[in-house]
Each structure stands twice: as C-alpha cells, then as structure tokens.
C-alpha cells in the first residue's frame, strides 16, 4: 500500500534562522540523502520502499513529503522516522536538527479505492468538488446540506468552533499587520473590524495546509500518469486552473516546483520574513491561496462583507487581481520559462525552483 508521510524537521532551538545560502546547502544535503535510499528496513525488519520525495527548506528547517510502499500505516510512519533520523545523524551540519512531526497521510489511490468501496448514506460523494468541500472544511453530506450533518444546532456549533479556530490561527500570519486587511482604514468602504481581519488571516493559515496537501496530490497524479495537465485523465485539485496556454508544459516536474513555491511563500507569511511577491509563480500561488481561504470561509458560513473586504484589501496591497476564478491575469501570460525567475535581485527564490525548465513554446 502506498502512503504519504509528512515530516517537519527543525533547526536547534535558539539558533539563528537559515540564510539563503544555508537553505540552499540544506536542501541539497537532504535531497541527496533521500535520493540515495530506495528502501528502508522498518519496524520488525519489514522492508519499505521509498517511491518519491519532495523537500522544501525554509528559515526554520524543512518540510519533507516522502511517498513509501508499506504493508501498513504503522510501518510507513516508522520507516520514514528511521530514515530521517539516520539522515540527520550521519549529516554533520544537520546532526542537531530535530523531527518535530512525522505523520502518515492516505495516498490518493487508496482514497479512491475507499470511495469506490463505500456504501450507504454516509459514503463520501463521488464528485471531486464535493469531496474537496469535505476535505477542506468538514462540509455536511449532500443529504444533510440544508441543516448540517447534526441538524441546525450542530451546524451552529460547528460554525462557532470554526470561527474560534480561525481567530486562533490568525496570530500565525506574522507577515501582515491588521492594517493590511483594512483595520483603521481611512476609507470607510475599505475599513473592516479587527475581528473580520483576524478571520481573514486565520482562513489563510488554515487554507495553507489544505492547498499544500492538494497540490501534493496533483504532483502524484501527474507523476503516476507520466502526463501533463492537458493529457491527464485523473482528477486534479488546482493545476487545471492555470492558464490553458501552457497546459502541455504542466508536468510533474513543473508541479513539484510550483508546490515548493507555495511552501516557500506561505512559510515567509508565517515566519514574518515576507517582503514582496518574488515571481509569477508566487502570484499564481497567492491566487490559489486566496481562493482556498474564501472557499473555507464560505463553507463555514463565515464569509460576510467585512471578511470579503479584508481579503480584497490584502490582495490589493499585494497587487493581486482576484476578479476571475481562473488565473488569466496578464502576468500569468508572461513566457512560461520566466514564471520562476525572480523579479529583482533581492527577490526570494527557493533553491529547488531556480533551475530552468526545458524550453516551452512562447
């Protein structure tokens, strides 16, 4: 069975954050170490095959996605834990790093099998959009869509819990002060209450995890089919919404670079180091993130006019046009080969995205 294991590794507590040169070195060390391993002996001597890896290094450490073939979830998690432990231990400059999280996620193929086998009124819906709604925000099944799975009282309770969670998450979006969302704005049409700004900020943090997970599934679908978005027969969460002009260029390699771009961008949002958007790919990534946040708020019935304005104020501050669902903004129509090229010399570029792709039709 195939499993996706997410691993957070962190630099030692109290040490300075990694600068760009250190991040470039760290990603090379981690990638080389993982690429050298095709199988690992898990608990009880069970062999677990390593199928694929993605590495995204940020100032505080790195996020790893490791795809393994294992007989059970416990073996998948245990083997990856052993693999990463050994990698850190034998790499001198990473020896003091620690594993903060090691979690198994169900691979998309297994999820499809479960959906196909499911039956009864509580079975997950076949429609991808409805499954996405559940995945994003625990939406009720179609049978109970009017009242929520637990009736009106249950729906209200879930909405209150979602609001509390969004407000709690807002503090993690360190790059943007309340003023960016419109708190205390001079223009009454753009001014929003502080709580609305916090809901918008929290929704962006919540949407980050969902967007990263769904883009990782898109990577896996393209890799398994060895296809581009234009040729892909399997369902995709997001990449189909990129400009059609280059659909034949959106292969697994592109999807990996785009996923790392999303991780690098949102990491700068949460660690407070964000200064400005660095390239076309980041502009596209931010549109996806804003759309994901909006969907999350809508599903929890938290998207009122003030919260919508707060998100619009942030988009305006970052010069992002969100009027269209599909991302056909003029910058997205720049030559495909320039999408990951930094706008300026001081623009941030993740080491894993800087190598140029093969030439694409202009």
């Amino acid at each position: 069975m195939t499993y996706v294991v997410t691993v957070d590794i962190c630099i030692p507590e109290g040490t300075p954050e990694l600068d760009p040169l250190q991040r470039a070195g760290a990603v090379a060390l981690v990638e080389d170490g993982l690429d050298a391993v095709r199988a690992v002996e898990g608990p009880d001597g069970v062999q677990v095959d390593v199928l694929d890896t993605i590495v995204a290094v940020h100032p505080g450490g790195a996020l790893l996605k490791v795809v393994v073939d294992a007989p059970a979830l416990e073996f998948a998690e245990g083997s990856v834990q052993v693999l990463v432990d050994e990698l850190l231990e034998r790499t001198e400059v990473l020896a003091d790093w620690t594993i903060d999280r090691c979690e198994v996620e169900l691979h998309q193929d297994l999820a499809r099998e479960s959906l196909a086998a499911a039956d009864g009124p509580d079975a997950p819906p076949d429609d991808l959009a409805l499954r996405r709604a559940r995945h994003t925000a625990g939406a009720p099944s179609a049978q109970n869509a009017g009242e929520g799975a637990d009736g009106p009282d249950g729906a209200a309770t879930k909405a209150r819990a979602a609001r509390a969670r969004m407000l709690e998450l807002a503090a993690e979006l360190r790059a943007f002060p309340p003023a960016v969302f419109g708190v205390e704005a001079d223009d009454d049409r753009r001014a929003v209450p502080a709580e609305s700004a916090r809901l918008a900020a929290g929704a962006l943090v919540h949407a980050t995890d969902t967007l990263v997970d769904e883009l990782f599934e898109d990577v896996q679908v393209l890799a398994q089919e060895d296809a581009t978005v234009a040729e892909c027969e399997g369902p995709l969460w997001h990449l189909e919404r990129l400009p059609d002009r280059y659909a034949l260029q959106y292969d697994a390699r592109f999807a990996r670079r785009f996923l790392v771009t999303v991780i690098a961008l949102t990491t700068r949002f949460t660690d407070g180091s964000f200064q400005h958007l660095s390239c076309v790919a980041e502009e596209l990534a931010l549109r996806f993130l804003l759309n994901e946040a909006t969907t999350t708020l809508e599903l929890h019935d938290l998207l009122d006019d003030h919260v919508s304005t707060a998100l619009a104020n942030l988009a305006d501050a970052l010069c992002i046009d969100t009027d269209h669902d599909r991302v056909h903004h003029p910058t997205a129509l720049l030559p495909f080969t320039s999408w990951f090229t930094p706008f300026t010399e001081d623009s941030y570029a993740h080491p894993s995205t800087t190598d140029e792709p093969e030439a694409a039709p202009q």
Side-chain angles (χ1 to χ4, degrees):
M1 297 182 121
T2 304
Y3 296 93
V4 179
V5 185
T6 300
V7 186
D8 281 323
I9 55 177
C10 303
I11 61 177
E13 188 174 352
T15 59
E17 292 186 339
L18 303 175
D19 60 32
L21 183 59
Q22 291 172 322
R23 292 197 289 270
V27 75
L29 290 171
V30 176
E31 285 182 341
D32 289 348
L34 293 176
D35 288 345
V37 178
R38 289 293 171 262
V40 61
E41 185 174 302
D44 300 328
V46 174
Q47 177 173 306
V48 174
D49 295 326
V50 179
L51 306 179
D52 197 7
T53 60
I54 290 180
V55 179
V57 174
H58 52 82
L63 176 67
L64 317 180
K65 293 277 188 177
V66 184
V67 184
V68 296
D69 186 33
L73 183 149
E74 293 79 9
F75 294 110
E77 184 177 86
S79 64
V80 172
Q81 177 93 29
V82 169
L83 171 61
V84 177
D85 271 336
E86 291 182 352
L87 170 61
L88 297 179
E89 184 178 348
R90 69 172 180 261
T91 307
E92 184 177 354
V93 298
L94 304 177
D96 293 333
W97 288 35
T98 58
I99 297 177
D100 187 54
R101 176 173 64 118
C102 184
E103 295 179 346
V104 171
E105 301 169 5
L106 190 63
H107 192 271
Q108 182 165 312
D109 286 347
L110 293 180
R112 287 178 188 161
E113 291 176 11
S114 298
L115 287 168
D119 196 8
D122 295 326
D126 293 329
D127 183 76
L128 183 64
L130 293 177
R131 296 208 309 270
R132 178 175 182 272
R134 279 194 171 189
H135 176 72
T136 303
S141 64
Q143 178 181 350
N144 299 315
E147 296 181 341
D150 300 322
D153 291 340
T157 299
K158 289 181 178 179
R160 286 194 296 270
R163 173 183 289 272
R165 179 60 177 157
M166 298 298 170
L167 294 175
E168 179 184 358
L169 289 173
E172 297 184 20
L173 199 71
R174 297 178 178 87
F176 303 113
V180 175
F181 291 96
V183 176
E184 298 181 357
D186 294 334
D187 185 347
D188 290 340
R189 295 172 300 175
R190 310 295 291 178
V192 301
E195 183 168 300
S196 297
R198 290 173 59 202
L199 282 173
L204 288 167
V205 175
H206 182 279
T208 294
D209 285 342
T210 302
L211 180 61
V212 168
D213 287 343
E214 291 174 350
L215 284 172
F216 186 78
E217 290 191 19
D218 283 358
V219 172
Q220 293 304 305
V221 170
L222 294 177
Q224 288 163 6
E225 294 193 15
D226 191 20
T228 66
V229 167
E231 303 161 336
C232 184
E233 296 181 359
L236 297 170
W237 292 108
H238 297 284
L239 297 182
E240 289 180 317
R241 295 191 293 115
L242 289 169
D244 293 335
R245 178 179 180 182
Y246 299 121
L248 284 170
Q249 304 302 320
Y250 307 144
D251 56 10
R253 182 171 181 271
F254 165 83
R256 288 169 180 272
R257 299 174 80 199
F258 190 73
L259 171 60
V260 171
T261 296
V262 171
I263 294 172
L265 176 66
T266 53
T267 296
R268 283 152 48 219
F269 284 174
T270 55
D271 70 13
S273 64
F274 177 82
Q275 297 296 323
H276 55 79
L277 295 171
S278 296
C279 60
V280 171
E282 286 198 350
E283 293 188 357
L284 298 173
L286 181 56
R287 289 191 185 90
F288 281 153
L289 183 64
L290 288 166
N291 184 71
E292 194 75 44
T294 300
T295 299
T296 299
L297 290 162
E298 285 178 337
L299 288 170
H300 288 300
D301 198 24
L302 297 175
L303 190 68
D304 60 21
D305 289 343
H306 288 311
V307 178
S308 294
T309 300
L311 289 172
N313 287 340
L314 175 66
D316 288 348
L318 299 178
C319 301
I320 293 296
D321 178 9
T322 58
D323 288 341
H324 301 90
D325 181 56
R326 299 181 64 84
V327 283
H328 288 294
H329 190 266
T331 56
L333 300 181
L334 291 174
F336 176 76
T337 51
S338 71
W339 281 13
F340 296 95
T341 303
F343 290 139
T344 63
E345 291 184 359
D346 65 343
S347 294
Y348 176 80
H350 192 279
S352 296
T353 66
T354 52
D355 56 323
E356 289 297 326
E358 296 178 3
Q362 304 300 316

